[in-house]
Amino acid sequence: MALRDLNEAWGWIQRLVRRVSRLESGALLENSSITNGRMRFIGGLLRLDSGARLEGVGTFEWSGAGSIAGNWEVLQGGVIKVGGVLISPVGGGRIMVGEGPVGIILDGGTGTLTMGNIRLEGGKIYVGAGASQIVIDGATGKITAGNVTIETNKITVAGGSSPATLQEGKMAFGTGGSVEADTAIGGVRMVAGDAVVNAGTTASVRKGNASVIAGPLGIDINAAALRLLLNAPINLTPGLIPTQTGTGLPVGTLLITSTGALRRAA
């Protein structure tokens, strides 16, 4: 604007002063935008304070180390730290809470949850490692601790010279034989092949068809073919027990015949 005469000079100066004052005191970026351009800070500082807020829509890219003061941080590799919690995209995604033996790791890639020496994976709980590891299988209801397996109404102990299984009141051994409850006599029964030993209100020893039974009224001896064989020296008065020939037994052996008579083999 050209100055036409001195009468306008004072008004012109006043207008210039007002414009300079507005530039000095005005907030030039209070309502502003940049289209297809950029704002660059070289060796400076962009600071948001007094309740300011940073919002954006699009892609956020950052190169180099950085941190956000407060309760969380963005670390290298896209890891987000919130207090003692780390959220990582590694291996399909992980959430780590705490550190050391009490640390908890939720691994999205493997579907596992680990807390110290305890691991949850695929419906199973693993405690410890190695030969003493304990495994709880939720699908089968089975618990394995080393060489011991616990199932519904069944316990199996593997390894050793004779693996054993306890099931429904019966202990069976891998080498043959068993020990089980005998409810008929309120006691136990031991079986090995055709040999059976019972102990309870009565006691008995059986081998094949031969047996010795001890009960409240006495002892019953049931010998094979109704014969009682005593392979031990016996002192008898001559002629007290009649002899019987053709038995094929050693001379002097006592036997009970089919008629119940006591004889000595001759």
Side-chain angles (χ1 to χ4, degrees):
M1 182 177 62
L3 181 63
R4 292 178 295 181
D5 55 51
L6 294 178
N7 293 330
E8 295 180 352
W10 178 245
W12 188 34
I13 293 173
Q14 287 181 322
R15 287 194 296 273
L16 288 176
V17 170
R18 287 194 295 269
R19 294 177 67 180
V20 171
S21 297
R22 285 197 299 270
L23 290 174
E24 291 178 342
S25 61
L28 301 180
L29 299 177
E30 183 173 353
N31 292 285
S32 62
S33 64
I34 300 175
T35 303
N36 295 326
R38 67 179 181 177
M39 180 179 293
R40 183 178 183 185
F41 292 83
I42 302 175
L45 173 67
L46 174 61
R47 181 182 180 89
L48 302 177
D49 58 15
S50 302
R53 182 174 178 176
L54 177 64
E55 293 184 358
V57 177
T59 302
F60 175 79
E61 295 183 3
W62 187 274
S63 177
S67 64
I68 300 178
N71 294 327
W72 65 282
E73 299 177 81
V74 179
L75 308 178
Q76 291 184 353
V79 178
I80 298 176
K81 181 179 181 181
V82 182
V85 180
L86 294 178
I87 303 174
S88 171
V90 176
R94 292 180 183 175
I95 299 177
M96 293 160 279
V97 182
E99 298 179 355
V102 296
I104 300 174
I105 300 176
L106 176 61
D107 194 323
T110 61
T112 61
L113 175 63
T114 304
M115 182 178 66
N117 64 347
I118 301 175
R119 185 176 82 256
L120 281 69
E121 180 178 0
K124 296 181 180 180
I125 301 176
Y126 300 85
V127 181
S132 60
Q133 184 183 60
I134 300 174
V135 181
I136 303 174
D137 192 329
T140 62
K142 182 186 299 184
I143 301 175
T144 303
N147 60 354
V148 178
T149 301
I150 302 174
E151 302 175 70
T152 303
N153 300 323
K154 182 179 180 181
I155 299 176
T156 302
V157 180
S161 59
S162 181
T165 300
L166 176 61
Q167 184 175 13
E168 297 180 352
K170 179 179 180 179
M171 177 73 77
F173 299 94
T175 54
S178 64
V179 178
E180 58 187 299
D182 191 340
T183 57
I185 60 173
V188 296
R189 177 170 54 247
M190 293 179 286
V191 180
D194 62 348
V196 181
V197 177
N198 297 78
T201 54
T202 61
S204 64
V205 178
R206 295 180 175 86
K207 176 64 176 177
N209 294 326
S211 65
V212 177
I213 303 174
L217 301 179
I219 299 176
D220 294 330
I221 301 176
N222 300 297
L226 298 178
R227 296 184 302 176
L228 175 61
L229 306 181
L230 300 176
N231 293 319
I234 299 177
N235 296 322
L236 297 174
T237 303
L240 180 62
I241 300 177
T243 60
Q244 182 171 331
T245 61
T247 63
L249 299 174
V251 175
T253 301
L254 292 178
L255 59 95
I256 298 176
T257 67
S258 59
T259 60
L262 180 62
R263 295 289 185 267
R264 286 186 301 117

